[in-house]
Every structure is written in structure tokens, then in C-alpha cells.
Amino acid sequence: MASAARSSLALRALLLLAAAVAGALSDPTPLQDFCVADPQGACKPASAVVDDDFFSAAIASAASTANPFGANSTRATVSTFPGLNTLGVSITRVDLAPGGLNPPHSHPRASELVMVLSGEVMVGFTSSANLLYSKVIRENELFVVPRGLQHFQLNTGAGDAVFLAMFDSQSPGVVTPTFAMFSTKPAMPMEVLTKTFLMGEDEVSAMRSKFAGF
Ligand SMILES: *[C@@H]1O[C@H](CO)[C@@H](O)[C@H](O)[C@H]1NC(C)=O
């Protein structure tokens, strides 16, 4: 009896420890007002923190959409904006040419709130039941993409479009399945791709050559 109680206590301690370790891997709740990252990854000493640590012009300018997707994402995450460190938020600006597409991708560490600044954008995400939820949104309108789910943004308007993607993570991460399949280093084995896509090697090679530059 005593030994059973002891082992259940040990199990509970182990679960707590696992939860603490898992917690350390996600965006923490801040333990202090701020922790501006210094280049070594520690907090900058408070005496050295200046107004500009809390400022970024990273997304102030339009980015070139002269690429095959007609889209360009400009990120203000902790790697370019150290003041975001430990705060659990970040933002990306996306410029879309007419017909431009931010191709299907997901963010493993964040939900995403999309707000259109100008133009008309179709936002859609796929649930884990493969149901597609989508809507065309316009200036100042919002659409939310739940954490980790695959989504896309397509410019359905006549002119350029710009939207903001706001994240509940200082570093949401991006996984784009087309790149994760066709432009990995080293290359994904041919057999994995032919079997995944039910295609022949010639078709896979054609896809690979399209994605070679990304
Ligand atoms: C995105 O925009 C920047 C700034 O205009 C540009 O330097 C970069 O080449 C663009 N990226 C793509 C993929 O077009």
C-alpha cells in the first residue's frame, strides 16, 4: 500500500516535471515587465534598454511581389525585433500582387489573426477533419486561423492587396508543405514522393524542378 502510494507520488512528480519542460519550449508568460534579447540570447541589462528596443520599422515598407507567387512576407518576429523576446506576440506583413497567393502553409507555434489593410483577400484554412473554412475579407476585416492548421491567402481583388498576420508567439515558425516535399536538403527520397502523390517518377521530377529555386 505504502509502496503504491510512493510510486503514484513519483509518477505525479514526473508528470509535473514533464509539464514544466514542455512549458519551457513554448512561449512563456512573462516573469518581468520585459526582457529585450541581447545578441547572446540573455536579457539586455535594464540600464542598457532604450526606447528603440521596443520599436521596429520592419513592416513599414511594401515588399516586392515580382516572384512566381506574386506574394512577399515581411516578418517582425523576435529574430529581427529583439524587444518581442518573452512577450508571446509577433506580426508579419504580406504584400500580394493581383492574383498573388501566399501558398498553403502552417505555423506550428501560433494562431494567426489576419487583418486586411487594403484590397480583397480570400483566407482559408483546413481543419484536421479536412474541412475547408474560407472567406473573402476586405479592409479592416478579420479572419482567424487556429494554431497549427494549414491555410492560404489569395488576392481576389483587381489591385494589389496588403494584410497583417498577427501571432500569439514571438516566433510562430512556418511550414510550407510544397517546399517541405519538393525542395528539402537533402532531397526527399523519390519513392516517398511517388507513393505520397500517387505519381510517376517523371511527374515528381517535373514538380521538383519547379521548386528547385526555393
Ligand atoms: C521580398 O521583398 C524584398 C524587399 O522588397 C526583396 O528584397 C525580396 O527579394 C522579396 N522576396 C521575394 C521572394 O520576392
Side-chain angles (χ1 to χ4, degrees):
M1 195 64 188
S3 128
R6 249 198 320 274
S7 73
S8 107
L9 196 68
L11 183 66
R12 232 176 303 157
L14 198 67
L15 287 176
L16 266 177
L17 186 67
V21 170
L25 296 174
S26 60
D27 285 328
T29 302
L31 298 173
Q32 60 280 306
D33 281 355
F34 52 80
C35 172
V36 176
D38 77 5
Q40 282 74 45
C43 300
K44 212 175 174 184
S47 58
V49 169
V50 295
D51 304 82
D52 273 352
D53 284 324
F54 304 103
F55 167 80
S56 170
I59 66 167
S61 315
S64 165
T65 54
N67 59 61
F69 297 102
N72 197 329
S73 297
T74 311
R75 300 185 174 90
T77 59
V78 70
S79 59
T80 56
F81 187 0
L84 294 182
N85 195 39
T86 75
L87 301 185
V89 294
S90 61
I91 192 164
T92 292
R93 169 200 177 121
V94 182
D95 289 270
L96 294 170
L101 173 70
N102 191 21
H105 63 281
S106 62
H107 304 288
R109 293 182 290 277
S111 294
E112 170 175 335
L113 190 53
V114 177
M115 178 178 175
V116 170
L117 296 184
S118 64
E120 182 187 289
V121 178
M122 177 191 280
V123 187
F125 72 83
T126 314
S127 72
S128 55
N130 289 329
L131 297 172
L132 177 67
Y133 298 90
S134 75
K135 185 142 179 101
V136 172
I137 61 169
R138 297 177 179 82
E139 197 172 316
N140 295 331
E141 293 181 339
L142 304 171
F143 197 78
V144 67
V145 177
R147 176 188 290 238
L149 297 184
Q150 183 171 280
H151 56 284
F152 66 86
Q153 285 100 355
L154 174 68
N155 182 355
T156 49
D160 290 339
V162 184
F163 69 87
L164 296 179
M166 296 164 272
F167 300 100
D168 60 338
S169 166
Q170 66 182 31
S171 183
V174 189
V175 177
T176 305
T178 38
F179 302 153
M181 293 283 174
F182 296 109
S183 56
T184 60
K185 290 183 190 71
M188 190 73 71
M190 179 59 88
E191 187 180 2
V192 172
L193 294 176
T194 55
K195 288 179 174 171
T196 298
F197 291 96
L198 309 175
M199 295 194 308
E201 292 192 7
D202 48 341
E203 290 166 296
V204 168
S205 297
M207 291 287 281
R208 264 189 185 155
S209 66
K210 283 184 201 295
F211 286 95
F214 297 100

PDB file of all heavy atoms in Angstrom, residues 62-67 71-72 74, ligand 1:
ATOM      1  N   ALA A  62       6.466  48.440 -48.361  1.00  0.00           N
ATOM      2  CA  ALA A  62       5.960  47.382 -49.230  1.00  0.00           C
ATOM      3  C   ALA A  62       7.132  46.531 -49.721  1.00  0.00           C
ATOM      4  O   ALA A  62       8.227  47.043 -49.934  1.00  0.00           O
ATOM      5  CB  ALA A  62       5.235  47.999 -50.420  1.00  0.00           C
ATOM      6  N   ALA A  63       6.902  45.234 -49.870  1.00  0.00           N
ATOM      7  CA  ALA A  63       7.951  44.337 -50.366  1.00  0.00           C
ATOM      8  C   ALA A  63       7.639  43.959 -51.811  1.00  0.00           C
ATOM      9  O   ALA A  63       6.481  43.976 -52.230  1.00  0.00           O
ATOM     10  CB  ALA A  63       8.022  43.096 -49.497  1.00  0.00           C
ATOM     11  N   SER A  64       8.675  43.625 -52.553  1.00  0.00           N
ATOM     12  CA  SER A  64       8.496  43.293 -53.974  1.00  0.00           C
ATOM     13  C   SER A  64       7.716  41.977 -54.144  1.00  0.00           C
ATOM     14  O   SER A  64       8.019  40.969 -53.510  1.00  0.00           O
ATOM     15  CB  SER A  64       9.871  43.159 -54.626  1.00  0.00           C
ATOM     16  OG  SER A  64       9.729  42.511 -55.876  1.00  0.00           O
ATOM     17  N   THR A  65       6.725  42.013 -55.018  1.00  0.00           N
ATOM     18  CA  THR A  65       5.946  40.798 -55.294  1.00  0.00           C
ATOM     19  C   THR A  65       6.308  40.216 -56.661  1.00  0.00           C
ATOM     20  O   THR A  65       5.561  39.431 -57.232  1.00  0.00           O
ATOM     21  CB  THR A  65       4.431  41.099 -55.242  1.00  0.00           C
ATOM     22  OG1 THR A  65       4.161  42.195 -56.130  1.00  0.00           O
ATOM     23  CG2 THR A  65       3.987  41.458 -53.841  1.00  0.00           C
ATOM     24  N   ALA A  66       7.482  40.650 -57.185  1.00  0.00           N
ATOM     25  CA  ALA A  66       7.921  40.160 -58.503  1.00  0.00           C
ATOM     26  C   ALA A  66       8.551  38.774 -58.367  1.00  0.00           C
ATOM     27  O   ALA A  66       9.767  38.606 -58.472  1.00  0.00           O
ATOM     28  CB  ALA A  66       8.914  41.153 -59.114  1.00  0.00           C
ATOM     29  N   ASN A  67       7.724  37.773 -58.067  1.00  0.00           N
ATOM     30  CA  ASN A  67       8.173  36.375 -57.968  1.00  0.00           C
ATOM     31  C   ASN A  67       7.012  35.493 -58.422  1.00  0.00           C
ATOM     32  O   ASN A  67       5.898  36.004 -58.610  1.00  0.00           O
ATOM     33  CB  ASN A  67       8.627  36.085 -56.526  1.00  0.00           C
ATOM     34  CG  ASN A  67       7.517  36.308 -55.508  1.00  0.00           C
ATOM     35  OD1 ASN A  67       6.480  35.658 -55.554  1.00  0.00           O
ATOM     36  ND2 ASN A  67       7.723  37.252 -54.601  1.00  0.00           N
ATOM     37  N   ALA A  71       3.687  37.193 -54.206  1.00  0.00           N
ATOM     38  CA  ALA A  71       3.492  37.405 -52.770  1.00  0.00           C
ATOM     39  C   ALA A  71       4.831  37.590 -52.090  1.00  0.00           C
ATOM     40  O   ALA A  71       5.847  37.062 -52.554  1.00  0.00           O
ATOM     41  CB  ALA A  71       2.771  36.205 -52.152  1.00  0.00           C
ATOM     42  N   ASN A  72       4.821  38.361 -51.000  1.00  0.00           N
ATOM     43  CA  ASN A  72       6.058  38.542 -50.240  1.00  0.00           C
ATOM     44  C   ASN A  72       5.692  38.782 -48.776  1.00  0.00           C
ATOM     45  O   ASN A  72       4.871  39.640 -48.474  1.00  0.00           O
ATOM     46  CB  ASN A  72       6.860  39.723 -50.806  1.00  0.00           C
ATOM     47  CG  ASN A  72       8.306  39.713 -50.358  1.00  0.00           C
ATOM     48  OD1 ASN A  72       8.630  39.261 -49.264  1.00  0.00           O
ATOM     49  ND2 ASN A  72       9.180  40.233 -51.219  1.00  0.00           N
ATOM     50  N   THR A  74       6.911  39.871 -45.013  1.00  0.00           N
ATOM     51  CA  THR A  74       7.943  40.586 -44.254  1.00  0.00           C
ATOM     52  C   THR A  74       7.641  40.390 -42.778  1.00  0.00           C
ATOM     53  O   THR A  74       6.571  40.767 -42.303  1.00  0.00           O
ATOM     54  CB  THR A  74       7.903  42.093 -44.597  1.00  0.00           C
ATOM     55  OG1 THR A  74       7.880  42.238 -46.021  1.00  0.00           O
ATOM     56  CG2 THR A  74       9.128  42.797 -44.056  1.00  0.00           C
TER      57      THR A  74
HETATM   58  C1  LIG B   1      10.615  40.372 -50.885  1.00  0.00           C
HETATM   59  O1  LIG B   1      10.793  41.763 -50.810  1.00  0.00           O
HETATM   60  C2  LIG B   1      12.132  42.191 -50.527  1.00  0.00           C
HETATM   61  C3  LIG B   1      12.084  43.694 -50.369  1.00  0.00           C
HETATM   62  O2  LIG B   1      11.477  44.302 -51.486  1.00  0.00           O
HETATM   63  C4  LIG B   1      13.048  41.710 -51.617  1.00  0.00           C
HETATM   64  O3  LIG B   1      14.375  42.058 -51.300  1.00  0.00           O
HETATM   65  C5  LIG B   1      12.940  40.193 -51.753  1.00  0.00           C
HETATM   66  O4  LIG B   1      13.721  39.734 -52.842  1.00  0.00           O
HETATM   67  C6  LIG B   1      11.495  39.789 -51.967  1.00  0.00           C
HETATM   68  N1  LIG B   1      11.372  38.321 -51.964  1.00  0.00           N
HETATM   69  C7  LIG B   1      10.784  37.654 -52.958  1.00  0.00           C
HETATM   70  C8  LIG B   1      10.731  36.168 -52.795  1.00  0.00           C
HETATM   71  O5  LIG B   1      10.312  38.199 -53.944  1.00  0.00           O
END
